[in-house]
Amino acid sequence: MINSVYIHIPFCSTICTYCDFCKLIKNDKWINEYLNELECEIKDKYKGDIIKTLYIGGGTPSSLNINQLKKLFNIIKIFKFSDKVEFTFECNIESIDYKKLKFLYNNKVNRLSIGIQTFNQKYLKYLNRNHNVNIVKEKINIARNIGFKNINVDLMYAFKDQTLNELNDDLDKILALNVEHISTYSLMIEPHTILYIKGEENIDEDLDYEMYKLIIKRLKKFGYKHYEISNFAKNGKESKHNLTYWNNNEYYGFGLGASGYIKNARYDNVRILNNYLDKQYVKDISNLSLNEKIENEFILGFRKIKGINKSEFKLKYNIDMKDIDIINKLLKQNQLKENKEYIYINPKYIYISNNILVNFIDLKF
Ligand SMILES: C[S@@+](CC[C@H](N)C(=O)[O-])C[C@H]1O[C@@H](n2cnc3c(N)ncnc32)[C@H](O)[C@@H]1O
Ligand code: SF4
């Protein structure tokens, strides 16, 4: 049974200098054709499962106008939703207003994810983003007045020349918003992006680590729970959708560039619009062996600060985690720790968790 759906809307009003996601400058003709094809793909793959989490991401889903949103929301009527569905819609501050937010609220959206990145005008310009504290506050107030009780914001850091003081300033402003969830992202200079072409480089690792520690310290002090390497939530407001990924559970992925995990197979959709419109939805698909499933279970599961539940692991794979040599070795080395229910990465090593996770590649069972 699959309980989660991701839908990708690849259109944006402007392109950010750091972005390597699957995105296109918006164009009404393409949006119309895209939505028609999205409907076909969903009808083709969806098998009537009860959906507990739906995430419409992008790109910028909120860049669609009301008529386009109406068309999108007609398409998703096909899903059988659980009463308690977590329905997230990704927004950019510039493209939301009362009318759109009210439409989303009236159509079951109960979680907004808003890309803020920074409040610092110097870095907003560097990223090709355009907003300010007052506009952000105003839009979030509109959302609150309409009734949204679950809002995530994305905070980015590690810009070239950024100081700890400047990050502190952004943290003050983010905390003042009093949102339920904060996702943090250290800026990665990805190939094919404007920053990469300009020759920009990632900042010094030691400063990046200082910034990460500052974020954890300030967000925890304010009452956020650090529940995943880069994610923080108020009590009970962890992202159920993203936990589907980290719990290595299956999910449908629809749309250009989307990924999915259905019936033991992971797939990536094409990123070229014409191919998608020609119904060549999937670019790569691979059936997972038991070894690969367990590898994913570790690599994704150890991203959660509380780690992997020992009895759930046993139920899923009929293997005791404590019978796995590498788990015992890492426990002895104090890189992993355990309590009655969970095995988890030693919090001391969370920042360098990738160095621990490589141990789980190519295990044989
Ligand atoms: C999938 S993007 C789309 C969200 C939305 N379109 C926006 O830009 O606000 C989600 C988040 O990923 C983060 N992100 C994207 N590219 C990144 C990069 N190169 N380095 C670090 N974070 C990045 C940003 O914080 C962004 O808000
Ligand atoms: S970061 Fe978001 S708004 Fe910017 S180009 Fe990427 S998807 Fe579009």
Side-chain angles (χ1 to χ4, degrees):
M1 182 60 102
I2 298 178
N3 296 130
S4 292
V5 172
Y6 174 80
I7 296 179
H8 194 74
I9 302 295
F11 303 101
C12 297
S13 307
T14 53
I15 300 297
C16 307
T17 54
Y18 55 86
C19 183
D20 187 33
F21 279 83
C22 175
K23 81 284 174 192
L24 303 161
I25 280 282
K26 72 178 225 177
N27 161 310
D28 288 343
K29 179 171 169 283
W30 289 353
I31 293 178
N32 193 37
E33 290 176 20
Y34 181 73
L35 292 176
N36 290 339
E37 204 52 56
L38 182 67
E39 180 167 23
C40 296
E41 191 201 359
I42 292 175
K43 283 186 169 160
D44 192 45
K45 288 196 185 124
Y46 174 61
K47 297 288 178 274
D49 321 56
I50 302 289
I51 300 306
K52 295 185 182 164
T53 77
L54 168 60
Y55 193 108
I56 301 188
T60 313
S62 61
S63 69
L64 268 49
N65 65 33
I66 286 282
N67 283 334
Q68 292 160 342
L69 287 176
K70 281 185 182 156
K71 185 163 170 160
L72 172 63
F73 278 72
N74 264 327
I75 295 169
I76 62 172
K77 278 188 184 146
I78 188 173
F79 295 123
K80 289 186 193 143
F81 290 114
S82 122
D83 291 343
K84 290 192 185 143
V85 63
E86 177 193 86
F87 183 173
T88 306
F89 196 89
E90 229 168 48
C91 305
N92 279 21
I93 279 291
E94 303 91 292
S95 58
I96 47 175
D97 56 21
Y98 176 82
K99 210 171 150 197
K100 273 190 204 174
L101 289 172
K102 185 79 182 159
F103 174 86
L104 297 176
Y105 187 78
N106 288 344
N107 285 278
K108 283 206 171 80
V109 173
N110 49 26
R111 186 170 183 271
L112 298 174
S113 179
I114 306 176
I116 290 190
Q117 326 305 354
T118 173
F119 290 101
N120 184 312
Q121 290 304 314
K122 185 171 59 177
Y123 300 122
L124 282 169
K125 202 164 161 211
Y126 176 72
L127 302 176
N128 193 29
R129 305 281 296 214
N130 185 20
H131 58 241
N132 61 49
V133 184
N134 292 336
I135 294 178
V136 171
K137 278 191 192 152
E138 182 195 316
K139 300 278 174 94
I140 289 188
N141 265 339
I142 296 175
R144 291 292 194 207
N145 289 336
I146 287 172
F148 285 101
K149 293 190 177 60
N150 196 357
I151 299 180
N152 166 64
V153 296
D154 292 340
L155 166 76
M156 216 188 244
Y157 63 99
F159 311 122
K160 181 178 143 195
D161 298 332
Q162 189 183 21
T163 62
L164 283 165
N165 275 342
E166 286 172 329
L167 174 60
N168 236 332
D169 249 32
D170 269 346
L171 286 166
D172 286 339
K173 293 182 173 108
I174 286 273
L175 289 172
L177 298 174
N178 205 15
V179 289
E180 286 69 27
H181 191 285
I182 301 176
S183 298
T184 67
Y185 297 87
S186 166
L187 173 65
M188 302 301 296
I189 308 291
E190 305 280 4
H192 316 298
T193 61
I194 298 167
L195 291 182
Y196 182 86
I197 292 162
K198 280 187 175 164
E200 299 282 337
E201 286 173 4
N202 294 322
I203 67 159
D204 171 69
E205 247 184 50
D206 292 341
L207 178 58
D208 189 87
Y209 182 40
E210 289 307 312
M211 290 182 162
Y212 182 67
K213 283 194 295 192
L214 176 67
I215 290 172
I216 294 175
K217 188 173 122 202
R218 295 227 37 210
L219 298 193
K220 273 187 168 173
K221 198 168 167 203
F222 202 84
Y224 288 96
K225 182 166 136 204
H226 184 198
Y227 76 102
E228 191 268 351
I229 296 176
S230 313
N231 282 279
F232 301 81
K234 291 204 179 155
N235 226 349
K237 297 292 187 180
E238 295 88 352
S239 162
K240 293 191 177 106
H241 184 82
N242 287 345
L243 281 166
T244 301
Y245 303 148
W246 301 321
N247 287 331
N248 196 25
N249 291 332
E250 295 194 343
Y251 59 96
Y252 290 106
F254 299 116
L256 198 69
S259 305
Y261 180 24
I262 304 179
K263 286 195 202 142
N264 250 337
R266 287 197 176 261
Y267 63 91
D268 293 315
N269 274 0
V270 289
R271 285 178 74 142
I272 297 171
L273 184 62
N274 276 338
N275 292 357
Y276 186 78
L277 296 179
D278 276 347
K279 299 194 181 296
Q280 302 160 37
Y281 307 133
V282 176
K283 180 167 70 83
D284 300 309
I285 181 157
S286 66
N287 280 304
L288 300 191
S289 63
L290 176 69
N291 288 338
E292 287 166 323
K293 277 202 281 187
I294 296 182
E295 178 179 319
N296 288 338
E297 190 81 23
F298 287 141
I299 290 177
L300 296 165
F302 281 129
R303 293 190 64 89
K304 294 171 290 175
I305 304 299
K306 75 175 177 186
I308 298 175
N309 184 298
K310 290 184 264 188
S311 37
E312 282 170 16
F313 186 93
K314 169 102 193 190
L315 259 180
K316 227 166 161 178
Y317 301 104
N318 203 18
I319 298 173
D320 207 319
M321 277 177 90
K322 295 293 289 291
D323 288 341
I324 300 172
D325 289 345
I326 187 66
I327 294 279
N328 282 315
K329 186 172 157 204
L330 294 170
L331 279 167
K332 275 203 194 96
Q333 292 173 345
N334 212 20
Q335 300 201 47
L336 291 180
K337 288 174 89 72
E338 70 175 320
N339 56 32
K340 224 169 119 214
E341 289 172 274
Y342 290 89
I343 296 185
Y344 56 97
I345 291 190
N346 184 339
K348 253 189 356 201
Y349 301 121
I350 274 290
Y351 180 72
I352 49 152
S353 51
N354 280 346
N355 298 354
I356 298 176
L357 296 179
V358 289
N359 288 291
F360 297 107
I361 293 174
D362 278 343
L363 291 182
K364 300 278 177 282
F365 291 92

